[in-house]
C-alpha cells in the first residue's frame, strides 16, 4: 500500500543546531507540504512543493528550508533551531489533479532545548 | 482567499448524545470542503469531503456533514457519540494558488466524550 512516512518520530536537540526532518511518500504525488501543529494555532503551513525542484514559502517559513530533488522526498531543515520551533511537524502529499485531498504522515515531535 | 472558521475549540458530549461540530467557510468560488480527524499521537485522516455533488456527505465512523450554501456552513454531525470518537477535528477548504491547489485548515475542535 502507498504511504507517507516521517523520520525521526521524536527528536530532542539544542538551540542553534541544524535539524532535518525527513518525509518520504510512495503515492507518486507531485504536491508535498510541511505543517506545524501548535496548541491554539491548529495547522500552519511552513513550505510546500508542487513538483521536483519547485519549493514555495508558506505562512510560517522563517527559519525553515526545503528542497525537492525527487518526487518521493521533501526534507525539512531547521537551519539553527530555536525554542520557538518546538512543535509537532506533519508532512502531507496530494495529487496534482483531483479534489486536493491530503494524505498525512504520522508526525515528528521536535523539542528544542 | 478561501478560509474556514471552526466555532468552539472544545466540545463536550456524553456517550450516546448527538455530536455537532461547526465549520463556516469563506470562498469566492464553489468550495471543496473537508473534515479531518486526528486521534492522539497520530496524523490526520480524512473523515469526509464535499466536492459539489450531493450536499449531504457521509463519511467514516457514522459521521456526516451537510453543505449549506445559504449559511456558508459545513457542520459535522454524528447521531450518537462513542467513546472512541474522542479526538481533534479539523475543517479545511481547498484553495487555488496560481493554478495549483492546497488546503487551508481551521484551528480545530477537540471533542471530549464522557461516559
Amino acid at each position: 500500500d502507498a504511504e507517507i512516512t516521517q523520520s525521526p518520530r521524536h527528536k530532542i536537540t539544542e538551540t542553534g543546531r541544524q535539524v532535518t526532518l525527513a518525509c518520504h511518500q510512495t503515492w507518486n504525488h507531485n504536491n508535498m507540504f510541511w505543517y506545524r501543529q501548535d496548541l491554539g494555532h491548529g495547522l500552519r503551513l511552513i513550505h510546500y512543493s508542487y513538483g521536483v525542484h519547485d519549493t514555495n514559502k508558506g505562512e510560517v517559513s522563517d527559519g525553515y528550508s526545503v528542497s525537492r530533488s525527487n518526487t518521493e522526498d521533501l526534507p525539512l531543515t531547521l537551519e539553527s533551531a530555536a525554542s520557538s520551533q518546538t512543535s509537532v511537524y506533519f508532512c502531507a502529499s496530494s495529487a496534482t489533479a483531483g479534489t486536493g485531498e491530503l494524505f498525512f504522515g504520522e508526525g515528528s515531535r521536535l523539542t528544542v532545548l | 482567499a478561501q478560509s474556514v472558521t471552526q466555532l468552539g475549540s472544545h466540545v463536550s458530549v456524553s456517550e450516546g448524545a448527538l455530536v455537532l461540530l461547526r465549520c463556516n467557510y469563506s470562498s469566492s468560488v464553489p468550495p471543496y470542503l473537508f473534515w479531518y480527524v486526528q486521534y492522539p499521537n497520530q496524523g490526520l485522516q480524512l473523515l469526509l469531503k464535499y466536492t459539489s455533488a450531493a450536499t449531504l456527505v457521509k463519511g467514516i465512523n457514522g459521521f456526516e456533514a451537510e453543505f449549506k450554501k445559504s449559511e456558508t456552513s459545513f457542520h459535522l454531525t454524528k447521531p450518537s457519540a462513542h467513546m472512541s470518537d474522542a479526538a481533534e477535528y479539523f475543517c479545511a477548504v481547498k484553495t487555488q494558488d496560481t493554478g495549483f491547489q492546497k488546503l487551508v485548515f481551521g484551528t480545530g475542535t477537540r471533542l471530549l466524550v464522557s461516559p
Side-chain angles (χ1 to χ4, degrees):
Chain A
D1 285 347
E3 59 180 4
I4 181 165
T5 55
Q6 295 183 229
S7 62
R9 293 292 312 280
H10 301 272
K11 185 170 181 66
I12 300 174
T13 191
E14 295 176 343
T15 302
R17 291 191 179 267
Q18 184 181 77
V19 176
T20 296
L21 305 179
C23 175
H24 179 81
Q25 53 100 2
T26 58
W27 293 98
N28 199 34
H29 286 160
N30 282 327
N31 305 336
M32 295 185 73
F33 305 83
W34 274 105
Y35 292 87
R36 61 178 289 175
Q37 184 179 28
D38 306 285
L39 266 176
H41 292 279
L43 287 166
R44 292 183 290 176
L45 185 60
I46 305 172
H47 281 286
Y48 54 104
S49 168
Y50 290 131
V52 177
H53 303 310
D54 175 75
T55 61
N56 305 279
K57 293 182 178 180
E59 60 182 306
V60 290
S61 61
D62 286 349
Y64 302 94
S65 63
V66 293
S67 61
R68 187 91 179 271
S69 58
N70 58 51
T71 300
E72 296 79 19
D73 299 288
L74 187 70
L76 177 71
T77 297
L78 286 68
E79 305 293 346
S80 176
S83 57
S84 61
Q85 294 176 308
T86 293
S87 186
V88 181
Y89 292 86
F90 287 98
C91 181
S93 69
S94 69
T96 299
T99 65
E101 176 184 348
L102 285 175
F103 295 81
F104 281 86
E106 294 288 292
S108 295
R109 182 177 294 275
L110 176 67
T111 302
V112 183
L113 301 176
Chain B
Q2 286 86 344
S3 65
V4 290
T5 302
Q6 292 184 244
L7 299 176
S9 58
H10 291 80
V11 169
S12 295
V13 300
S14 299
E15 194 172 19
L18 171 71
V19 175
L20 172 61
L21 304 182
R22 299 177 186 275
C23 174
N24 289 88
Y25 70 90
S26 171
S27 177
S28 56
V29 299
Y32 280 14
L33 294 159
F34 305 80
W35 275 101
Y36 281 82
V37 60
Q38 183 183 30
Y39 298 105
N41 300 313
Q42 293 186 26
L44 282 72
Q45 57 182 280
L46 184 70
L47 259 183
L48 50 80
K49 59 187 176 186
Y50 168 75
T51 59
S52 74
T55 56
L56 182 63
V57 182
K58 294 188 184 298
I60 61 173
N61 300 336
F63 283 93
E64 61 183 36
E66 186 172 7
F67 173 73
K68 291 187 176 181
K69 184 177 179 180
S70 61
E71 299 177 8
T72 62
S73 68
F74 189 57
H75 301 332
L76 182 70
T77 60
K78 182 174 180 177
S80 177
H82 193 273
M83 296 294 290
S84 60
D85 294 327
E88 186 142 22
Y89 293 80
F90 292 91
C91 183
V93 63
K94 186 180 86 167
T95 71
Q96 291 290 136
D97 175 17
T98 60
F100 296 96
Q101 57 192 5
K102 60 185 179 191
L103 297 189
V104 174
F105 287 85
T107 51
T109 298
R110 184 168 298 276
L111 177 65
L112 306 169
V113 183
S114 56

Short mmCIF file of all heavy atoms in Angstrom, two decimals, chain A residues 4-6 8-9 21-23 32-38 42-47 74 76 87-93 102-110, chain B residues 37-45 88 90 105:
data_model
loop_
_atom_site.label_atom_id
_atom_site.label_comp_id
_atom_site.label_asym_id
_atom_site.label_seq_id
_atom_site.Cartn_x
_atom_site.Cartn_y
_atom_site.Cartn_z
N ILE A 4 2.96 7.48 3.45
CA ILE A 4 3.86 8.62 3.65
C ILE A 4 4.48 8.45 5.02
O ILE A 4 3.78 8.26 6.02
CB ILE A 4 3.10 9.95 3.48
CG1 ILE A 4 4.02 11.13 3.66
CG2 ILE A 4 1.86 10.03 4.33
CD1 ILE A 4 3.41 12.45 3.16
N THR A 5 5.80 8.47 5.10
CA THR A 5 6.50 8.20 6.35
C THR A 5 7.39 9.37 6.72
O THR A 5 7.98 10.02 5.84
CB THR A 5 7.34 6.92 6.26
OG1 THR A 5 8.23 7.03 5.13
CG2 THR A 5 6.47 5.70 6.08
N GLN A 6 7.46 9.63 8.02
CA GLN A 6 8.29 10.70 8.53
C GLN A 6 9.32 10.13 9.50
O GLN A 6 9.03 9.19 10.23
CB GLN A 6 7.43 11.72 9.29
CG GLN A 6 6.45 12.46 8.41
CD GLN A 6 5.68 13.50 9.20
OE1 GLN A 6 4.46 13.57 9.13
NE2 GLN A 6 6.40 14.34 9.94
N PRO A 8 12.90 11.61 12.07
CA PRO A 8 12.52 10.73 13.16
C PRO A 8 11.13 11.06 13.68
O PRO A 8 10.59 12.12 13.39
CB PRO A 8 13.58 11.05 14.21
CG PRO A 8 13.91 12.48 13.98
CD PRO A 8 13.83 12.68 12.49
N ARG A 9 10.53 10.18 14.46
CA ARG A 9 9.22 10.47 15.06
C ARG A 9 9.37 11.38 16.27
O ARG A 9 8.46 12.14 16.59
CB ARG A 9 8.54 9.17 15.45
CG ARG A 9 8.15 8.28 14.28
CD ARG A 9 7.03 8.88 13.43
NE ARG A 9 5.91 9.36 14.21
CZ ARG A 9 4.94 8.61 14.70
NH1 ARG A 9 4.95 7.31 14.47
NH2 ARG A 9 3.96 9.15 15.40
N LEU A 21 14.25 17.03 9.19
CA LEU A 21 13.15 16.07 9.31
C LEU A 21 12.86 15.50 7.93
O LEU A 21 12.68 16.26 6.97
CB LEU A 21 11.90 16.75 9.88
CG LEU A 21 12.07 17.48 11.21
CD1 LEU A 21 10.75 18.12 11.64
CD2 LEU A 21 12.60 16.55 12.29
N ALA A 22 12.80 14.18 7.85
CA ALA A 22 12.61 13.54 6.56
C ALA A 22 11.14 13.21 6.31
O ALA A 22 10.38 12.93 7.25
CB ALA A 22 13.42 12.25 6.49
N CYS A 23 10.76 13.28 5.04
CA CYS A 23 9.41 12.90 4.62
C CYS A 23 9.53 12.14 3.31
O CYS A 23 10.14 12.65 2.35
CB CYS A 23 8.54 14.13 4.44
SG CYS A 23 6.89 13.74 3.78
N MET A 32 3.64 18.21 -2.21
CA MET A 32 4.04 17.85 -0.86
C MET A 32 4.06 19.09 0.02
O MET A 32 4.37 20.19 -0.47
CB MET A 32 5.41 17.15 -0.84
CG MET A 32 5.40 15.81 -1.56
SD MET A 32 6.97 14.92 -1.42
CE MET A 32 6.92 14.38 0.31
N PHE A 33 3.72 18.92 1.29
CA PHE A 33 3.53 20.04 2.20
C PHE A 33 4.15 19.72 3.56
O PHE A 33 4.13 18.57 4.00
CB PHE A 33 2.02 20.31 2.41
CG PHE A 33 1.26 20.51 1.13
CD1 PHE A 33 0.80 19.43 0.39
CD2 PHE A 33 0.98 21.79 0.68
CE1 PHE A 33 0.09 19.63 -0.79
CE2 PHE A 33 0.27 21.99 -0.49
CZ PHE A 33 -0.17 20.91 -1.22
N TRP A 34 4.62 20.75 4.24
CA TRP A 34 5.01 20.65 5.64
C TRP A 34 4.17 21.62 6.48
O TRP A 34 4.07 22.80 6.14
CB TRP A 34 6.50 21.00 5.83
CG TRP A 34 7.43 19.86 5.63
CD1 TRP A 34 8.23 19.62 4.56
CD2 TRP A 34 7.68 18.79 6.55
NE1 TRP A 34 8.95 18.47 4.74
CE2 TRP A 34 8.63 17.94 5.96
CE3 TRP A 34 7.19 18.47 7.83
CZ2 TRP A 34 9.12 16.80 6.59
CZ3 TRP A 34 7.66 17.33 8.45
CH2 TRP A 34 8.62 16.51 7.84
N TYR A 35 3.59 21.07 7.55
CA TYR A 35 2.82 21.86 8.50
C TYR A 35 3.45 21.71 9.89
O TYR A 35 4.07 20.70 10.20
CB TYR A 35 1.38 21.36 8.60
CG TYR A 35 0.53 21.57 7.38
CD1 TYR A 35 0.51 20.62 6.36
CD2 TYR A 35 -0.28 22.69 7.26
CE1 TYR A 35 -0.30 20.80 5.24
CE2 TYR A 35 -1.09 22.88 6.15
CZ TYR A 35 -1.09 21.92 5.14
OH TYR A 35 -1.88 22.10 4.04
N ARG A 36 3.23 22.72 10.74
CA ARG A 36 3.49 22.55 12.15
C ARG A 36 2.17 22.69 12.90
O ARG A 36 1.28 23.45 12.48
CB ARG A 36 4.55 23.53 12.67
CG ARG A 36 4.23 24.99 12.53
CD ARG A 36 5.34 25.86 13.13
NE ARG A 36 5.36 25.78 14.60
CZ ARG A 36 6.27 26.36 15.37
NH1 ARG A 36 7.25 27.07 14.82
NH2 ARG A 36 6.21 26.25 16.67
N GLN A 37 2.09 21.96 14.01
CA GLN A 37 0.86 21.99 14.81
C GLN A 37 1.19 22.42 16.22
O GLN A 37 1.99 21.78 16.91
CB GLN A 37 0.19 20.61 14.84
CG GLN A 37 -1.14 20.62 15.58
CD GLN A 37 -1.81 19.27 15.58
OE1 GLN A 37 -1.16 18.23 15.51
NE2 GLN A 37 -3.14 19.26 15.67
N ASP A 38 0.55 23.49 16.66
CA ASP A 38 0.75 24.03 18.00
C ASP A 38 -0.61 24.32 18.60
O ASP A 38 -1.55 24.72 17.91
CB ASP A 38 1.57 25.33 17.93
CG ASP A 38 2.88 25.14 17.20
OD1 ASP A 38 3.78 24.55 17.80
OD2 ASP A 38 3.00 25.58 16.03
N GLY A 42 -3.74 25.41 15.53
CA GLY A 42 -4.10 24.42 14.53
C GLY A 42 -2.91 24.05 13.68
O GLY A 42 -1.78 23.96 14.16
N LEU A 43 -3.14 23.86 12.40
CA LEU A 43 -2.08 23.51 11.45
C LEU A 43 -1.67 24.75 10.67
O LEU A 43 -2.51 25.40 10.07
CB LEU A 43 -2.58 22.45 10.48
CG LEU A 43 -2.75 21.05 11.04
CD1 LEU A 43 -3.57 20.22 10.08
CD2 LEU A 43 -1.40 20.40 11.25
N ARG A 44 -0.38 25.01 10.66
CA ARG A 44 0.12 26.16 9.89
C ARG A 44 1.11 25.67 8.85
O ARG A 44 2.00 24.88 9.15
CB ARG A 44 0.77 27.18 10.83
CG ARG A 44 -0.23 27.87 11.75
CD ARG A 44 0.43 28.93 12.60
NE ARG A 44 1.31 28.34 13.61
CZ ARG A 44 2.08 29.05 14.44
NH1 ARG A 44 2.06 30.37 14.36
NH2 ARG A 44 2.82 28.46 15.33
N LEU A 45 0.98 26.19 7.65
CA LEU A 45 1.78 25.74 6.52
C LEU A 45 3.16 26.38 6.56
O LEU A 45 3.30 27.61 6.65
CB LEU A 45 1.07 26.09 5.22
CG LEU A 45 1.68 25.61 3.92
CD1 LEU A 45 1.77 24.09 3.88
CD2 LEU A 45 0.86 26.13 2.74
N ILE A 46 4.20 25.54 6.46
CA ILE A 46 5.58 26.03 6.53
C ILE A 46 6.15 26.21 5.12
O ILE A 46 6.57 27.31 4.74
CB ILE A 46 6.47 25.05 7.31
CG1 ILE A 46 5.90 24.77 8.70
CG2 ILE A 46 7.89 25.61 7.42
CD1 ILE A 46 6.62 23.66 9.45
N HIS A 47 6.21 25.14 4.37
CA HIS A 47 6.68 25.15 2.99
C HIS A 47 5.89 24.12 2.20
O HIS A 47 5.33 23.20 2.77
CB HIS A 47 8.17 24.78 2.90
CG HIS A 47 9.12 25.87 3.24
ND1 HIS A 47 9.36 26.94 2.39
CD2 HIS A 47 9.91 26.06 4.32
CE1 HIS A 47 10.26 27.73 2.94
NE2 HIS A 47 10.61 27.22 4.12
N LEU A 74 10.65 15.18 0.55
CA LEU A 74 10.69 16.62 0.82
C LEU A 74 11.22 16.81 2.24
O LEU A 74 10.45 16.90 3.20
CB LEU A 74 9.31 17.26 0.69
CG LEU A 74 9.30 18.79 0.81
CD1 LEU A 74 9.96 19.43 -0.42
CD2 LEU A 74 7.88 19.34 0.98
N LEU A 76 12.66 18.67 5.50
CA LEU A 76 12.51 19.99 6.12
C LEU A 76 13.73 20.24 7.00
O LEU A 76 14.02 19.44 7.88
CB LEU A 76 11.24 20.04 6.96
CG LEU A 76 10.99 21.34 7.73
CD1 LEU A 76 10.61 22.48 6.77
CD2 LEU A 76 9.89 21.15 8.77
N SER A 87 7.68 21.83 18.41
CA SER A 87 6.36 21.65 17.82
C SER A 87 6.22 20.22 17.32
O SER A 87 7.16 19.42 17.40
CB SER A 87 6.18 22.63 16.64
OG SER A 87 4.86 22.57 16.12
N VAL A 88 5.05 19.91 16.81
CA VAL A 88 4.85 18.67 16.07
C VAL A 88 4.74 19.01 14.60
O VAL A 88 3.94 19.90 14.22
CB VAL A 88 3.59 17.92 16.54
CG1 VAL A 88 3.43 16.62 15.76
CG2 VAL A 88 3.65 17.63 18.04
N TYR A 89 5.51 18.34 13.79
CA TYR A 89 5.59 18.64 12.36
C TYR A 89 4.95 17.51 11.56
O TYR A 89 5.20 16.33 11.80
CB TYR A 89 7.05 18.81 11.94
CG TYR A 89 7.68 20.04 12.54
CD1 TYR A 89 8.26 20.00 13.81
CD2 TYR A 89 7.67 21.25 11.86
CE1 TYR A 89 8.81 21.14 14.38
CE2 TYR A 89 8.23 22.40 12.42
CZ TYR A 89 8.79 22.33 13.67
OH TYR A 89 9.33 23.45 14.23
N PHE A 90 4.09 17.91 10.62
CA PHE A 90 3.41 16.94 9.76
C PHE A 90 3.76 17.20 8.30
O PHE A 90 3.71 18.33 7.82
CB PHE A 90 1.89 17.03 9.93
CG PHE A 90 1.41 16.48 11.23
CD1 PHE A 90 1.14 17.32 12.29
CD2 PHE A 90 1.23 15.12 11.39
CE1 PHE A 90 0.70 16.82 13.50
CE2 PHE A 90 0.78 14.60 12.60
CZ PHE A 90 0.52 15.45 13.65
N CYS A 91 4.06 16.12 7.63
CA CYS A 91 4.24 16.13 6.19
C CYS A 91 2.97 15.59 5.55
O CYS A 91 2.31 14.70 6.12
CB CYS A 91 5.44 15.27 5.82
SG CYS A 91 5.81 15.22 4.06
N ALA A 92 2.63 16.10 4.38
CA ALA A 92 1.44 15.63 3.68
C ALA A 92 1.69 15.70 2.18
O ALA A 92 2.57 16.44 1.71
CB ALA A 92 0.22 16.48 4.04
N SER A 93 0.90 14.94 1.43
CA SER A 93 1.03 14.97 -0.02
C SER A 93 -0.35 14.91 -0.66
O SER A 93 -1.33 14.47 -0.03
CB SER A 93 1.90 13.82 -0.52
OG SER A 93 1.24 12.58 -0.36
N LEU A 102 -5.54 15.70 1.12
CA LEU A 102 -4.19 15.50 1.63
C LEU A 102 -4.07 14.16 2.34
O LEU A 102 -4.98 13.75 3.06
CB LEU A 102 -3.82 16.61 2.61
CG LEU A 102 -3.50 17.98 2.04
CD1 LEU A 102 -3.29 18.98 3.16
CD2 LEU A 102 -2.26 17.92 1.16
N PHE A 103 -2.91 13.54 2.18
CA PHE A 103 -2.56 12.32 2.89
C PHE A 103 -1.41 12.67 3.83
O PHE A 103 -0.38 13.20 3.38
CB PHE A 103 -2.14 11.22 1.91
CG PHE A 103 -3.26 10.78 1.01
CD1 PHE A 103 -3.58 11.53 -0.12
CD2 PHE A 103 -3.99 9.65 1.28
CE1 PHE A 103 -4.62 11.15 -0.97
CE2 PHE A 103 -5.02 9.24 0.44
CZ PHE A 103 -5.34 10.00 -0.68
N PHE A 104 -1.59 12.38 5.12
CA PHE A 104 -0.64 12.84 6.14
C PHE A 104 0.26 11.74 6.65
O PHE A 104 -0.15 10.58 6.74
CB PHE A 104 -1.41 13.41 7.34
CG PHE A 104 -1.92 14.80 7.11
CD1 PHE A 104 -3.14 15.00 6.49
CD2 PHE A 104 -1.19 15.90 7.53
CE1 PHE A 104 -3.63 16.28 6.27
CE2 PHE A 104 -1.67 17.18 7.32
CZ PHE A 104 -2.88 17.37 6.69
N GLY A 105 1.47 12.13 7.05
CA GLY A 105 2.33 11.26 7.80
C GLY A 105 1.93 11.26 9.27
O GLY A 105 1.00 11.97 9.67
N GLU A 106 2.64 10.47 10.08
CA GLU A 106 2.29 10.30 11.50
C GLU A 106 2.81 11.44 12.37
O GLU A 106 2.43 11.53 13.53
CB GLU A 106 2.87 8.98 12.01
CG GLU A 106 2.24 7.75 11.36
CD GLU A 106 0.82 7.54 11.85
OE1 GLU A 106 0.64 7.20 13.04
OE2 GLU A 106 -0.12 7.71 11.06
N GLY A 107 3.66 12.28 11.82
CA GLY A 107 4.16 13.42 12.58
C GLY A 107 5.54 13.20 13.18
O GLY A 107 5.93 12.06 13.45
N SER A 108 6.26 14.30 13.37
CA SER A 108 7.57 14.29 14.03
C SER A 108 7.51 15.31 15.16
O SER A 108 7.28 16.50 14.92
CB SER A 108 8.68 14.67 13.06
OG SER A 108 8.82 13.71 12.03
N ARG A 109 7.75 14.82 16.38
CA ARG A 109 7.72 15.73 17.54
C ARG A 109 9.13 16.21 17.80
O ARG A 109 10.01 15.40 18.10
CB ARG A 109 7.15 15.01 18.76
CG ARG A 109 7.04 15.91 19.99
CD ARG A 109 6.41 15.17 21.13
NE ARG A 109 5.02 14.81 20.86
CZ ARG A 109 3.99 15.61 21.05
NH1 ARG A 109 4.17 16.83 21.54
NH2 ARG A 109 2.76 15.19 20.78
N LEU A 110 9.33 17.52 17.70
CA LEU A 110 10.65 18.12 17.89
C LEU A 110 10.66 18.98 19.13
O LEU A 110 9.79 19.84 19.30
CB LEU A 110 11.03 18.97 16.67
CG LEU A 110 12.35 19.73 16.77
CD1 LEU A 110 13.53 18.76 16.78
CD2 LEU A 110 12.49 20.73 15.62
N VAL B 37 -9.89 14.03 10.94
CA VAL B 37 -9.85 13.68 12.35
C VAL B 37 -8.42 13.31 12.74
O VAL B 37 -7.68 12.71 11.93
CB VAL B 37 -10.81 12.51 12.67
CG1 VAL B 37 -10.46 11.25 11.89
CG2 VAL B 37 -10.82 12.21 14.17
N GLN B 38 -8.04 13.70 13.94
CA GLN B 38 -6.71 13.37 14.46
C GLN B 38 -6.86 12.71 15.82
O GLN B 38 -7.27 13.36 16.79
CB GLN B 38 -5.85 14.62 14.56
CG GLN B 38 -4.43 14.32 15.03
CD GLN B 38 -3.60 15.57 15.21
OE1 GLN B 38 -4.11 16.65 15.52
NE2 GLN B 38 -2.30 15.45 15.00
N TYR B 39 -6.53 11.43 15.90
CA TYR B 39 -6.51 10.72 17.17
C TYR B 39 -5.18 11.00 17.87
O TYR B 39 -4.19 11.37 17.22
CB TYR B 39 -6.74 9.24 16.95
CG TYR B 39 -8.09 8.95 16.34
CD1 TYR B 39 -8.21 8.59 15.00
CD2 TYR B 39 -9.25 9.06 17.10
CE1 TYR B 39 -9.44 8.35 14.42
CE2 TYR B 39 -10.50 8.84 16.52
CZ TYR B 39 -10.57 8.49 15.19
OH TYR B 39 -11.80 8.27 14.61
N PRO B 40 -5.12 10.84 19.17
CA PRO B 40 -3.89 11.18 19.91
C PRO B 40 -2.65 10.53 19.33
O PRO B 40 -2.65 9.34 19.01
CB PRO B 40 -4.21 10.66 21.32
CG PRO B 40 -5.69 10.74 21.42
CD PRO B 40 -6.21 10.40 20.06
N ASN B 41 -1.63 11.36 19.18
CA ASN B 41 -0.31 10.92 18.70
C ASN B 41 -0.35 10.31 17.30
O ASN B 41 0.49 9.44 16.98
CB ASN B 41 0.30 9.92 19.68
CG ASN B 41 0.49 10.53 21.05
OD1 ASN B 41 1.00 11.65 21.18
ND2 ASN B 41 0.05 9.84 22.08
N GLN B 42 -1.30 10.75 16.50
CA GLN B 42 -1.38 10.26 15.13
C GLN B 42 -1.48 11.43 14.16
O GLN B 42 -1.69 12.58 14.56
CB GLN B 42 -2.60 9.34 14.95
CG GLN B 42 -2.51 8.04 15.72
CD GLN B 42 -3.66 7.12 15.40
OE1 GLN B 42 -4.25 7.19 14.31
NE2 GLN B 42 -3.98 6.23 16.32
N GLY B 43 -1.32 11.11 12.87
CA GLY B 43 -1.53 12.12 11.84
C GLY B 43 -3.01 12.32 11.58
O GLY B 43 -3.86 11.70 12.22
N LEU B 44 -3.32 13.21 10.64
CA LEU B 44 -4.71 13.47 10.30
C LEU B 44 -5.18 12.48 9.24
O LEU B 44 -4.43 12.13 8.33
CB LEU B 44 -4.86 14.89 9.74
CG LEU B 44 -4.89 16.03 10.74
CD1 LEU B 44 -3.51 16.27 11.35
CD2 LEU B 44 -5.39 17.31 10.07
N GLN B 45 -6.43 12.07 9.38
CA GLN B 45 -7.01 11.20 8.36
C GLN B 45 -8.36 11.78 7.91
O GLN B 45 -9.07 12.40 8.70
CB GLN B 45 -7.18 9.78 8.86
CG GLN B 45 -7.99 9.61 10.10
CD GLN B 45 -8.05 8.15 10.55
OE1 GLN B 45 -8.82 7.37 10.01
NE2 GLN B 45 -7.20 7.79 11.49
N GLU B 88 -9.39 15.19 17.88
CA GLU B 88 -9.45 16.57 17.39
C GLU B 88 -9.92 16.54 15.94
O GLU B 88 -9.47 15.69 15.16
CB GLU B 88 -8.09 17.27 17.50
CG GLU B 88 -8.15 18.74 17.14
CD GLU B 88 -7.26 19.59 18.03
OE1 GLU B 88 -6.32 19.03 18.62
OE2 GLU B 88 -7.51 20.81 18.13
N PHE B 90 -10.66 18.72 12.35
CA PHE B 90 -10.28 19.90 11.58
C PHE B 90 -11.13 20.01 10.32
O PHE B 90 -11.28 19.04 9.58
CB PHE B 90 -8.80 19.81 11.15
CG PHE B 90 -7.83 19.90 12.28
CD1 PHE B 90 -7.38 18.76 12.92
CD2 PHE B 90 -7.34 21.13 12.70
CE1 PHE B 90 -6.47 18.84 13.97
CE2 PHE B 90 -6.42 21.22 13.74
CZ PHE B 90 -5.99 20.07 14.38
N PHE B 105 -6.61 25.09 6.70
CA PHE B 105 -7.28 24.42 7.83
C PHE B 105 -7.81 25.41 8.84
O PHE B 105 -7.25 26.50 9.03
CB PHE B 105 -6.29 23.49 8.53
CG PHE B 105 -5.98 22.25 7.75
CD1 PHE B 105 -4.99 22.26 6.78
CD2 PHE B 105 -6.68 21.08 7.97
CE1 PHE B 105 -4.71 21.12 6.03
CE2 PHE B 105 -6.40 19.94 7.25
CZ PHE B 105 -5.41 19.96 6.28
#
